[in-house]
Amino acid sequence: MATREELDAVLDGVRSAVPVLRRNGKQSEEQRWIVEENIQLLEKAGVFRAAVPRKYGGLDLDAAQQAEVISEVARGCPSTGWLTMVWLTSAWAGTLYPDETQDELFASGSTRVSIVFAPTGTLKRVDGGYRLNGTWRFNSGVRGADWDMLAAAVEREDGEHEELVTLVPTTDLAVADDWHVSAGAGTGSSTVTATDLFVPAHRTVALEEAMVSGTGRRSNTGATGRNYGLLGYILSSVAAALTGIARGAHELFLERLPGRGITYTDWTEQRLHPVTQQHVATAANKIDAAIALSGQWLEVLQRAADAGEQPTDEQKAVIRGQTAYAGQLAKEAVELLYSESGGSVIRSDVDLQRFHRDIQGFSLHALVQLGANLEVQGRVLMGLEPGTYFL
């Protein structure tokens, strides 16, 4: 477990990088992949060691500490923040693999891992492992990742199909140049393809077991404080990225405000207008409310992990609703600030418009959409079953 001093050193490194991350935002969007300088700055700050176990030279940050780091990165650049979320949560997911696999994955002490949960590939059993074939879209961060986790289905002896998550070096995959989007362009979430790729048995885990940190053949099981409920942990990190984007947008709005008037009115100073004052305060309160709400689910996740247990299904359902609601508050804050920014905000050299488009796009992710997650939470609050196994 990292000391507060170690965490502060990472956060200080990220904070000092924020101006550069923002400066590189336009270029990252135009080239559809974050500027290499961003990666190097985060590497120097120790960000990619955050989720790596201590035994491999990592920092072993807990979920709340990782959320702090992710939020700070997203404050500087939404796409870089989203990728940091993906790389850290996927690196943590690597701790659910057998010790042999972890030795390979974490050999350098700092690693970047991407993941696609959609099981759009197939596995065929062969001696020593499997043959993997398939295509996976929206593979965020694969262009800068060392490893990729890809979900695929395998036919069991009883004829039923089981979903496994394979871990493969990105150098073994074909990466398409097909990421042409209006939001999150810098994430380079390209399509990848595996063709008859051999995957050793030790680089696969069952998704059902991974969801509850129930995988075997590893020494880091039990009450280590890091065997989180997989989905709740990931969603907590997604919410951290979205609140970080909103914090950055709030700062950008205030930076543009001095000297701005309200066109075609007698208001020569927009910051003196009561409605602007109300909206700035409302946006700040939405962001603070989202951050405060995160304390509840992070406590549930950590308390269970410290005890070597999993949150109950009811708790996991509530986490789905709370994280989505926090994301909605962050999005609403950015929307409010964007609407107060005047026509000039649509210029491509104004960072706020990119923050606005990016949070809109990220909020469309299937795991983040408000309605579906509130439905799951609402069901358990009324004594019903969650209505989904994806908890």
Side-chain angles (χ1 to χ4, degrees), residues 48 78 88 119 163 236 359:
F48 306 132
L88 294 195
E163 190 172 329
S236 73
I359 202 168

Side-chain angles (χ1 to χ4, degrees), residues 27 86 123 132 148 275 310 332 370:
Q27 182 182 348
V86 170
L123 288 162
L132 175 66
D148 206 5
V275 173
Q310 287 287 296
E332 289 174 358
L370 184 64

Side-chain angles (χ1 to χ4, degrees), residues 99-145:
D99 287 343
E100 180 182 0
T101 312
Q102 293 188 51
D103 290 344
E104 298 172 336
L105 179 63
F106 300 123
S108 69
S110 175
T111 190
R112 297 190 295 274
V113 188
S114 292
I115 191 169
V116 181
F117 273 121
T120 53
T122 59
L123 288 162
K124 182 179 180 181
R125 296 181 189 277
V126 296
D127 288 343
Y130 304 87
R131 288 288 175 183
L132 175 66
N133 286 277
T135 296
W136 295 263
R137 300 176 62 199
F138 296 97
N139 198 171
S140 293
V142 68
R143 291 189 175 276

Side-chain angles (χ1 to χ4, degrees), residues 196-207:
D196 202 30
L197 177 63
F198 175 71
V199 180
H202 68 270
R203 292 188 192 160
T204 65
V205 294
L207 178 61

Side-chain angles (χ1 to χ4, degrees), residues 5-220:
E5 291 74 17
E6 289 174 316
L7 174 61
D8 286 342
V10 176
L11 292 172
D12 288 345
V14 173
R15 290 178 184 128
S16 66
V18 163
V20 180
L21 300 181
R22 287 186 183 166
R23 186 187 68 212
N24 289 339
K26 187 173 185 291
Q27 182 182 348
S28 295
E29 181 169 66
E30 289 172 349
Q31 69 184 31
R32 295 175 293 123
W33 176 242
I34 59 172
V35 173
E36 179 62 24
E37 184 180 20
N38 292 12
I39 297 176
Q40 295 304 317
L41 286 170
L42 299 187
E43 180 74 66
K44 181 180 179 181
V47 170
F48 306 132
R49 297 172 55 224
V52 176
R54 279 285 191 182
K55 65 180 290 188
Y56 298 106
L59 294 171
D60 192 32
L61 301 188
D62 64 29
Q65 293 169 331
Q66 290 180 41
E68 283 190 70
V69 173
I70 291 166
S71 182
E72 283 300 314
V73 177
R75 184 171 69 88
C77 171
S79 285
T80 308
W82 186 262
L83 293 179
T84 300
M85 177 275 296
V86 170
W87 286 333
L88 294 195
T89 56
S90 301
W92 170 84
T95 67
L96 302 178
Y97 282 76
D99 287 343
E100 180 182 0
T101 312
Q102 293 188 51
D103 290 344
E104 298 172 336
L105 179 63
F106 300 123
S108 69
S110 175
T111 190
R112 297 190 295 274
V113 188
S114 292
I115 191 169
V116 181
F117 273 121
T120 53
T122 59
L123 288 162
K124 182 179 180 181
R125 296 181 189 277
V126 296
D127 288 343
Y130 304 87
R131 288 288 175 183
L132 175 66
N133 286 277
T135 296
W136 295 263
R137 300 176 62 199
F138 296 97
N139 198 171
S140 293
V142 68
R143 291 189 175 276
D146 308 300
W147 296 81
D148 206 5
M149 290 180 182
L150 302 171
V154 61
E155 185 175 351
R156 299 190 310 218
E157 292 181 0
D158 61 5
E160 296 294 322
H161 284 81
E162 180 182 17
E163 190 172 329
L164 303 181
V165 184
T166 66
L167 184 63
V168 301
T170 53
T171 52
D172 291 344
L173 300 167
V175 181
D177 183 15
D178 63 350
W179 188 241
H180 301 276
V181 291
S182 60
T187 64
S189 303
S190 300
T191 300
V192 300
T193 299
T195 304
D196 202 30
L197 177 63
F198 175 71
V199 180
H202 68 270
R203 292 188 192 160
T204 65
V205 294
L207 178 61
E208 184 177 359
E209 295 177 350
M211 290 289 288
V212 294
S213 290
T215 53
R217 298 177 292 159
R218 60 190 181 97
S219 57
N220 56 327

Side-chain angles (χ1 to χ4, degrees), residues 82 235 238 242 323-324 327 362-371 373:
W82 186 262
L235 290 177
V238 172
L242 298 179
T323 51
F362 294 146
S363 297
L364 294 175
H365 193 290
L367 290 178
V368 185
Q369 290 187 14
L370 184 64
N373 285 290

